Amino acid sequence: MNSSAPGTYSWSYSIRANFYALTPAETYYENVWQVPNMVAKALPVMILMSVIEAVILKLTNRNDNWRLHIAVLNYSSGGLSEALNNFVFRGAELSLYIWVYDNWRLSCLAWDSLYTYFLALLGVEFCFYWWHRASHETALMWAAHSTHHSSEDFNMTVTARTSWTMRPFKWVFFLPLAFLGLPPPIFLIHQHLSYIYAGWTHNETVPKLSKVIPGLGHAIEFVFQTPSHHRVHHGANKYCIDKNYGQTFIIFDRLFGTFAEEREDEPLVYGTLGQVEHNSAIMIHVSPWVELWQKTRSMTTFGDKVRALFYGPGWAPGKPRLGDPADVPDVRGRKKVQLHLPAWFSVYMLANSALVFFCYPEMMGRIKDAGPWLPLVTLAYMFLSFTALGGLYDGRRYGAVLELLRLLLFFGLSYWHPMFGSATAVRRVSWMNLLSLLIWPVVAILTFRRAEKSSKTEPQPGEAAKRK
């Protein structure tokens, strides 16, 4: 057993975990249950870097690159994804990997071998590259992955904007490693380290390394994924489309022709090509699937319906598999959708979103003793809560109604199905929700006024048809 990993709060270990800089010996584990929670170990430094990034953006008058409601939305989305994974799937993908490894592996690689370390390092990246590329080149998978790309801000909080509808697709791409005989604990820790490394690449504050440290910076950018490379991947500019798929390395993009260098003469615009702004942690996941369903239904032949699902998201009848590059819109100069909210309302949304998010780590701390139903009740409450809060952010009337239901439901659940393990936590959250209940009438009035204003500014169906 590897006993070299220090405690969760070792800053040295946390820093090195964030940059995939653990020694090979620190990644050697014989059994899956021995692998530590790497995200928890890396979290202190991840949070610190995110705070530093936000401060730098503030001091350099780039407030538009870090907006509070987008950050709240990103973390809410990540909380839902992780809760669904741990409360429902409960490691099902890893169990399938272990089953393939136990029954179908072609070789038996040593878990404490340097050779195995490098195979895992490159193997996980290679499989990730092809999963990521397929997510952009297949409409069915893009409907899930586009959630991550739908943010018009690009900063470290976007790392948390993961999709809970991607789970049925992703795990399949890593099964070849099980066939090759990569031990499950080694696969698991390298998959975690690869994910953690991606955190620092989601930012605009780190310039091109080749400009900061010539020579060494060029070498790093030739081999590794960097913030500059990943900014290109998230850009909606024409030269950025379907480029730079790597997570830790950039070498496979160079090998397979999907690499693009960041241009200094063209400011990047983030988001998707057909950007539809949602401020709901539910709608950013659901709306791409609605769009795909509508596109598929609009096809007149069975073959085109199949192609609408499995060809690229830009495909149309008579076009190449990935669509016609000439049809890609020019988004340069596109303005971000702004959401102007009273300060008190932003504080209300931040506090309540944080309390709902807290349901996830609190339940994870006692999930082994919670039984099968309590985590599912917690997950259902989180979905209801983020639907309500998202409706409030979007200025929808249903948001105000569901918010009242959410606040009242919490007190009933606290009695029948306590979502928090300690009486102190229940008491503190109850006081916060009671305060929110008292403020709710004001929240409802603001939301209904925003909904009325929005309905007056939206074009009528007849007017929209004329504009088309």
Side-chain angles (χ1 to χ4, degrees), residues 243-259:
K243 300 295 183 183
N244 299 2
Y245 293 117
Q247 180 155 268
T248 304
F249 297 100
I250 203 69
I251 51 177
F252 294 119
D253 286 286
R254 296 185 185 276
L255 284 172
F256 298 115
T258 55
F259 174 74

Side-chain angles (χ1 to χ4, degrees), residues 16 310 437:
R16 290 184 294 113
F310 295 100
L437 195 59

